[in-house]
Amino acid sequence: MSKKGLFSKHPFASLAILALLTSCGGAAASSQGANASFSYFIATADTRVGYYTDETKNPVINWLLTANTWGDNKAKVNLEFEIPSTGTAGDIANLMFTSGDYYDVVDLSGYSGNVLDLYDQGIVIDLTDYIAKYMPNYSKWMDDHPAEKKQCMDKVNGEMKYLRLYDATDVPAPWGGFCYRRDWLAKYGTNPTTNAAFTGGYDANHKWSDDVVFPSGQKDPTTLSDWDWMLPIFKKALAGEGINDGYCMQLPYYGFYGTSDIVGSFGTSPYFYMDPDLKDIHFGGDSDNFRAYISLMNKWYKNGFIDKGFAERNNEMFYTIDTTSVFSGKVGMWYGLTGQMGNNLDISDGKENNATNGYTKDICVYGAAQPINDKFGTAAMQGFDPFVFYSMARNSVSAVVTNKALDKDVSALFTMLDYLYTDDGAMMGEAGLSKKEYEDTKDECYTKFGLTDGAWYNCDENGVLWDDATSKGNKMWRMNPIAEKDDALRGVIKRNRVVGRSWGTYNNAYTGSLEPAITRGLANWSKYSSTSLTLGAVQNKQSLEEGLESSKISVKIQDFIQKTVPSFIIGSKDVNNDATWNSYCAALAKYNPDRVVEILKATYAREFN
């Protein structure tokens, strides 16, 4: 399908959209008839130099299009991708639906409208019967995950229907979480019970071990008391290392994590949240729980534990705050990424720690779970598992099929997409092609980078290639070592951009090649479940009018809270003074957060009950 043909009815809208598009997917992978040719709008493109720029050359997509036939007519599917320039996907989607010039399949990432409105206009088709007939694997995944199924369906005239297809992940892997300097605890800390100095370090094989234990009695920090005990040790470490421009702990510039991390330990959120039993929705920005959180941060700030300049770092994401200090080894605790755990931040090249070389020699970084509040605030705020914080969803990106596809062989499209929800398809989404699948196409990218044995293989618990006749124990999977530590290569050799299922990075995977600190940190980051994902699904199902009203109010609330909380933490306003706190709550009430709660509750009752 050419761009000219697609946009011919609305020339002015067409020019606006075309100005934002950078390229097509290129020539189709087969020359079969147009009845199985589909246009697919994807929100972001994978065009890493040295791999491929034509999305049909993605190894998995190429395999689907060239090595298989699909649907009632055993047709070869033809895909042509439309790719927006960076940051323009939402604008293009809004323009295309308004103008009537849209594609057969549309990735809704960044789209600000409501899918029910698109359905009412006849733009988006009802997928329910098609899924029942042509997508048994997608249907099974949803049935096996009832909470996600409820989020992925839309209520139309009182009936739950599938209006969109979702990306699905069996076991989502966390990409980030709280990181802390384990080596500082081993070097400068003492046992909280015996007061004996800890020991720890790397052995001749560069394997870390220590005897660190926390006040909770655990080998990892699990409570806020553990954090309260840990921070003074970081302060001692900074002095002991001669670091004058470091600090013990980071905070985002507005004084809390907008994703409710740490705040959630008090049973609340700065904004809106759901109960752990998913039965009610609340606003927490004026709660006593949030006040108790701020009071603790104020205490830690006064004790010199929190970065004195946190409020000035207003152009940094919560997981990339002051990376210069983090990477040079001057921070005790921060919200970091998987690749920062273990010894990965050691840039010393064996040189001693000092202001010139940095402070990363023999660094050991561990990951910490969300802390349980065991002693701060009232008893009602203590003792439960954290339930409001950032976490990865099993279902994420969604795409719709439009009425443009109805005169084509949709059986071919749906059966092809359904394959991506099989177990084999899930491995394509997680890792890429197996050796057998590579042999089907002799994929150019795999051949070029030496992946002729496939992107992954089955192995035993020691990482040795699995032999059905002789191998014993748990049959696992492992990335080809060529791609195992090459994140860029790993990203382009698997299915991406097109909806499908992923197995899960660490789901029954061999992780022996990872540092133990990383696998331990990943386990800590995955320790609890968050209700934030369900609230996000509720927000996504508001009507256009509801969404506009709640968004308008929420933006004002967010702006007010983010401007006010730092002054409480720094101490220019006294969070422990009742009159001051009540004044803050009264000012906040003027923005009418109760109206947003009312809208969200109505949406939840309408769409999920």
Side-chain angles (χ1 to χ4, degrees):
M1 179 183 292
S2 70
K3 289 179 183 141
K4 180 178 179 181
L6 187 62
F7 296 118
S8 59
K9 294 181 180 179
H10 301 272
F12 296 107
S14 303
L15 289 172
I17 297 173
L18 286 171
L20 297 173
L21 290 167
T22 58
S23 66
C24 286
S30 72
S31 58
Q32 61 85 54
N35 66 321
S37 295
F38 299 91
S39 58
Y40 197 127
F41 176 81
I42 50 178
T44 55
D46 200 335
T47 55
R48 291 182 176 92
V49 175
Y51 299 104
Y52 52 81
T53 56
D54 179 346
E55 290 300 314
T56 62
K57 297 304 182 184
N58 170 276
V60 173
I61 300 301
N62 182 48
W63 183 86
L64 292 171
L65 301 183
T66 63
N68 301 273
T69 58
W70 307 98
D72 295 335
N73 301 313
K74 301 300 181 184
K76 280 191 176 293
V77 170
N78 206 359
L79 287 180
E80 181 173 326
F81 293 97
E82 296 289 352
I83 303 168
S85 55
T86 304
T88 63
D91 293 334
I92 293 175
N94 293 326
L95 280 170
M96 74 169 74
F97 288 132
T98 301
S99 70
D101 291 333
Y102 44 83
Y103 304 89
D104 298 320
V105 186
V106 178
D107 179 345
L108 291 182
S109 300
Y111 176 59
S112 61
N114 185 282
V115 72
L116 289 172
D117 293 330
L118 297 178
Y119 174 74
D120 289 341
Q121 296 173 53
I123 295 173
V124 167
I125 67 173
D126 180 358
L127 301 177
T128 310
D129 291 341
Y130 293 109
I131 288 173
K133 185 174 182 179
Y134 296 116
M135 301 190 72
N137 295 291
Y138 183 83
S139 184
K140 182 181 185 303
W141 193 93
M142 289 298 169
D143 290 341
D144 290 344
H145 301 84
E148 284 73 24
K149 179 178 180 178
K150 184 176 286 189
Q151 296 172 19
C152 293
M153 299 187 78
D154 294 279
K155 187 174 285 187
V156 180
N157 298 323
E159 184 179 356
M160 298 304 291
K161 292 181 176 291
Y162 287 111
L163 299 184
R164 40 193 158 182
L165 297 171
Y166 278 83
D167 245 19
T169 303
D170 290 9
V171 183
W175 53 263
F178 291 111
C179 296
Y180 69 95
R181 290 290 298 266
R182 184 80 173 192
D183 56 310
W184 281 0
L185 296 184
K187 184 175 182 180
Y188 292 98
T190 58
N191 187 294
T193 301
T194 67
N195 206 36
F198 291 135
T199 61
Y202 290 102
D203 62 17
N205 296 316
H206 208 69
K207 182 179 178 181
W208 178 269
S209 63
D210 63 52
D211 57 0
V212 172
V213 64
F214 290 82
S216 61
Q218 304 300 312
K219 293 184 178 180
D220 292 292
T222 59
T223 67
L224 281 174
S225 289
D226 287 342
W227 287 36
D228 199 44
W229 168 86
M230 184 165 50
L231 292 172
I233 298 175
F234 292 155
K235 189 174 183 179
K236 180 180 178 182
L238 290 167
E241 296 292 322
I243 302 172
N244 298 317
D245 54 349
Y247 46 88
C248 304
M249 175 181 167
Q250 290 185 344
L251 272 185
Y253 67 90
Y254 34 87
F256 57 89
Y257 289 88
T259 49
S260 302
D261 300 67
I262 310 178
V263 180
S265 300
F266 290 81
T268 192
S269 165
Y271 306 127
F272 304 94
Y273 69 98
M274 296 194 76
D275 284 340
D277 59 7
L278 303 179
K279 290 184 178 179
D280 207 357
I281 298 173
H282 309 273
F283 174 68
D286 57 358
S287 63
D288 289 339
N289 307 58
F290 188 41
R291 184 184 186 184
Y293 161 81
I294 298 173
S295 180
L296 178 59
M297 295 303 108
N298 170 249
K299 171 192 168 185
W300 284 354
Y301 184 87
K302 288 191 296 185
N303 288 340
F305 301 155
I306 293 175
D307 172 19
K308 292 294 184 182
F310 81 89
E312 301 168 9
R313 305 188 190 280
N314 57 3
N315 291 318
E316 299 172 335
M317 295 295 292
F318 68 92
Y319 54 88
T320 59
I321 298 172
D322 191 17
T323 52
T324 299
S325 293
V326 171
F327 293 164
S328 58
K330 299 178 182 179
V331 181
M333 193 167 197
W334 66 97
Y335 199 107
L337 308 178
T338 305
Q340 295 169 9
M341 289 191 288
N343 190 236
N344 287 329
L345 292 183
D346 190 339
I347 58 171
S348 67
D349 196 26
K351 298 176 182 177
E352 293 302 316
N353 290 331
N354 56 47
T356 301
N357 301 330
Y359 301 87
T360 64
K361 183 182 179 183
D362 293 332
I363 188 173
C364 183
V365 176
Y366 273 24
Q370 298 287 326
I372 294 173
N373 178 22
D374 58 329
K375 74 173 188 180
F376 299 99
T378 65
M381 305 172 190
Q382 302 168 6
F384 48 80
D385 290 349
F387 63 90
V388 192
F389 54 88
Y390 180 85
S391 64
M392 297 293 290
R394 283 197 179 97
N395 53 290
S396 53
V397 175
S398 67
V400 293
V401 180
T402 74
N403 57 5
K404 303 279 188 180
L406 289 178
D407 61 349
K408 302 177 182 180
D409 186 358
V410 292
S411 73
L413 174 68
F414 289 127
T415 54
M416 182 187 74
L417 292 176
D418 186 60
Y419 184 83
L420 296 174
Y421 294 89
T422 64
D423 287 350
D424 288 341
M427 285 307 302
M428 290 181 177
E430 187 57 55
L433 302 178
S434 66
K435 178 179 175 66
K436 179 181 180 299
E437 291 153 353
Y438 163 76
E439 293 291 342
D440 291 336
T441 61
K442 302 290 186 181
D443 182 81
E444 293 178 6
C445 183
Y446 276 49
T447 302
K448 178 179 178 180
F449 290 97
L451 297 171
T452 54
D453 288 328
W456 64 278
Y457 56 88
N458 288 119
C459 66
D460 63 18
E461 294 172 353
N462 295 313
V464 178
L465 183 68
W466 183 268
D467 185 315
D468 287 333
T470 60
S471 295
K472 297 180 181 180
N474 184 21
K475 185 178 182 180
M476 310 178 78
W477 72 274
R478 179 179 183 179
M479 283 298 298
N480 187 317
I482 294 174
E484 199 165 34
K485 294 187 177 182
D486 187 335
D487 289 340
L489 180 60
R490 185 169 180 168
V492 298
I493 61 177
K494 64 181 180 178
R495 170 198 61 83
N496 51 46
R497 307 311 192 260
V498 173
V499 290
R501 173 184 161 203
S502 296
W503 187 257
T505 306
Y506 305 105
N507 183 11
N508 198 38
Y510 173 75
T511 57
S513 59
L514 292 177
E515 287 188 58
I518 295 178
T519 55
R520 183 167 170 173
L522 290 169
N524 285 331
W525 289 351
S526 305
K527 190 171 185 177
Y528 303 112
S529 298
S530 175
T531 64
S532 301
L533 302 173
T534 302
L535 181 63
V538 174
Q539 292 168 324
N540 289 337
K541 292 193 176 184
Q542 296 175 108
S543 69
L544 180 60
E545 293 76 15
E546 289 171 334
L548 289 172
E549 183 180 2
S550 62
S551 177
K552 185 177 180 179
I553 296 172
S554 296
V555 167
K556 293 179 180 178
I557 289 171
Q558 177 177 302
D559 184 62
F560 176 77
I561 294 176
Q562 290 186 358
K563 288 180 178 178
T564 306
V565 168
S567 61
F568 281 131
I569 293 176
I570 292 170
S572 55
K573 291 184 179 181
D574 186 359
V575 68
N576 298 308
N577 180 281
D578 289 342
T580 303
W581 179 255
N582 291 337
S583 176
Y584 157 81
C585 292
L588 188 54
K590 294 179 181 179
Y591 297 108
N592 201 9
D594 290 344
R595 174 56 183 156
V596 177
V597 172
E598 181 184 357
I599 292 172
L600 292 174
K601 285 184 175 183
T603 303
Y604 189 54
R606 180 181 70 242
E607 299 293 336
F608 290 87
N609 295 320

